[in-house]
Amino acid sequence: MIGIGFMAIRAVCLDVGETLIDETRHWTEWAAFLGVPPLTLFTAIGVIMNRGESLRRVFEIFRPDLDVSQARKLRAAQGWIYDFAPEDLYPDAIPCLADLRARGYKVVIAGNQPVESEASLKRLGLPADVIASSGGWGVSKPDPGFFAKVADAAGEPPGAIAYVGDRLDNDVLPSRSAGMKAVFIRRGPWGWMHAEKPDIQQAHLRLNSLLELADRLGDL
């Protein structure tokens, strides 16, 4: 028997980094720019994550003379363009998105990314109704304003939206607080670390692959 307050999921919003996109190539390129071996950079990232600090600390450690915006400008001057390549997509990303749309869900892609990511994701031809970014919206996760933007983009009340991401702090807890269904995918550095935290029990769904998502939405 369906209880009071039941609301069917009509829209799904997916995070970008380490949900749809494998960021290994991007961080390897940052290691080259910073002049450190990739393993050194990845180890520093792990320590920073474990401390619960922002990844901006990476630049403070290896290039204290630069902030992130300065580093991006320097790389741009060297010909770097913020972009995603087809090989950066996790293999289950497009099949998942296509399956969701085929089943009638509205699909939104939105994460903490610079505004340039929107054009890059569109060039990949992802089957999505809306592609947005924190840079374009002017608000980043875990700010409640970000999830309000998600609801506006989806055109649905929060209770009819599932938000999918790999992080407890940026995805699961704030999307749940916003009234959405929080879906956690265990992959990428945050995904594997956060899967061990007790609060991960607050996710409405926990996945090991996006291929599970469409079938599991009915569990909500």
Side-chain angles (χ1 to χ4, degrees):
M1 184 174 182
I2 297 174
I4 296 174
F6 171 83
M7 184 175 291
I9 299 299
R10 293 190 291 270
V12 181
C13 183
L14 297 98
D15 178 39
V16 178
E18 296 306 328
T19 297
L20 297 175
I21 295 288
D22 181 341
E23 296 181 311
T24 302
R25 178 180 65 85
H26 277 204
W27 281 111
T28 301
E29 291 178 353
W30 273 114
F33 171 78
L34 294 170
V36 298
L39 181 58
T40 301
L41 180 68
F42 293 143
T43 301
I45 289 173
V47 171
I48 289 166
M49 288 167 47
N50 193 49
R51 292 175 177 172
E53 298 175 345
S54 167
L55 284 184
R56 291 176 180 268
R57 281 281 293 136
V58 169
F59 300 93
E60 296 172 6
I61 292 169
F62 296 113
R63 287 292 302 272
D65 58 314
L66 291 177
D67 62 23
V68 179
S69 61
Q70 289 175 316
R72 285 170 56 83
K73 288 177 182 177
L74 279 176
R75 288 192 67 189
Q78 297 170 0
W80 170 73
I81 299 173
Y82 191 92
D83 202 9
F84 298 124
E87 57 267 27
D88 295 328
L89 284 166
Y90 276 105
D92 56 4
I94 289 180
C96 168
L97 297 173
D99 191 12
L100 290 171
R101 293 192 81 190
R103 298 189 192 209
Y105 293 103
K106 183 175 291 185
V107 175
V108 178
I109 297 173
N112 280 355
Q113 297 285 329
V115 67
E116 296 95 329
S117 69
E118 297 179 21
S120 181
L121 290 167
K122 289 173 184 175
R123 283 194 293 271
L124 293 179
L126 300 182
D129 299 287
V130 179
I131 294 177
S133 67
S134 60
W137 283 342
V139 61
S140 301
K141 297 181 292 184
D143 191 299
F146 178 93
F147 296 94
K149 291 284 189 180
V150 168
D152 288 343
E156 298 286 352
I161 301 170
Y163 189 88
V164 185
D166 62 298
R167 292 179 61 164
L168 182 62
D169 53 349
N170 270 6
D171 302 316
V172 171
L173 298 181
S175 65
R176 182 178 178 120
S177 293
M180 299 176 182
K181 297 300 183 183
V183 181
F184 172 73
I185 180 161
R186 186 181 64 173
R187 67 168 163 218
W190 288 272
W192 283 97
M193 290 181 66
H194 288 186
E196 300 297 315
K197 293 181 177 292
D199 278 351
I200 205 62
Q201 300 293 332
Q202 295 194 45
H204 294 96
L205 284 181
R206 285 178 283 170
L207 311 175
N208 291 313
S209 167
L210 290 178
L211 297 179
E212 305 171 43
L213 179 58
D215 287 336
R216 296 282 306 280
L217 286 176
D219 296 344
L220 299 177

